Amino acid sequence: AEKNISSLIEKLEKQHSLDKKGLIMLLSMENPSELYKAADRVRKKYVGDEVHLRGLIEFSNYCHNTCFYCGLRGPNKAIKRYRMEPEEIIECAKRGVEMELKTIVLQSGEDRYYKITTLCNIVEKIKEMDVAVTLIIGELSKKEYAELKKAGADRYLLRIETTNRELYRKLHPGMSYENRLRCLMDLRELGYEVGTGSLIGLPGQTLEMLADDLLFFKKINADMLGIGPFIPCENTPLEKEKGGDVNLVLKMIALSRLLLPDINIPATTALAVKDKDGYAKGLQCGANVIMPNIGIEEYKRLYKLYPGKVPDDPNEAVNSIENIKKVILSQNRSIGKDKGYRKKVFH
Ligand code: 5AD
């Protein structure tokens, strides 16, 4: 079995493809250190030692969706809701640019309060600062995606969360898997860099489903992949469930890097919340991006997808830019100097 596993990793490292059975075998490895090392080599070869910082602004925590795992779900009356004014968002972005960040990420719940023209205006103003703009604002129409692209948005993240239709349906009442796919296809057609990804450790999720997720990432040729542990959140239907396993997340990151060698993969905030060395571990297993939170303190603690994101002392926040820079340097990696688009060196 040992030899078998080694030859699977070797094949992946050379050919960047593997069948479902092989992926399941690697996902079930008890000692994944060889897998992690292979992913680290491929990361270094294709995207180098630079870690790209993406400055995150969580501009509204209103959401009309009801995702079972998420603290921002509409029916959760236990959290205070906020919306940032356009001027406030632009001010935040400006501070991010002054901190030498080259990408600004605008994230929110699915909040229909902001008109597309308003969002386009915000994107245009931020693009004037000569940075890349990423949006994480959920499912919209193709026309809306097109308007935001025209305003200058470069990238869009929309996690598929799970590719298992049945599990997807259970966790997302009122939503449809087909519409989520439609969104990803529209974004690709419109010329965005497209990111997707999964939650790891959802109740009922199996290794087989995770192997399917990996094959899906490869099939749609994702430009970015956000992969993090599910963290149970109070006042949600899944509050009593068990959370995702850090090593399983790291295996998913490593396998993603091996399948798609030149893409951008963050060490996610959820990974760093779940494990105090989460960012460092992610960077060692194939990740090359981290997203510092550059929003406003009072709002950060209200953007509660899951617990543990914001400690009492904001200076202790895992995703503060200071902490993140320290981690990157401690790993003998450097901070990305350009906008950090997908390198597209592998076809
Ligand atoms: N634990 C971890 N990640 C979560 N997200 C939402 N809720 C949770 C949770 N409880 C993730 C989803 C979403 C992203 C913005 O946050 O994957 O796509």
Side-chain angles (χ1 to χ4, degrees), residues 69-71 107 159 161 199 229-233 270 305-306:
Y69 43 79
C70 183
Q107 182 176 31
R159 289 185 179 174
E161 315 292 0
L199 280 167
F230 156 61
I231 302 175
C233 182
L305 303 166
Y306 47 80

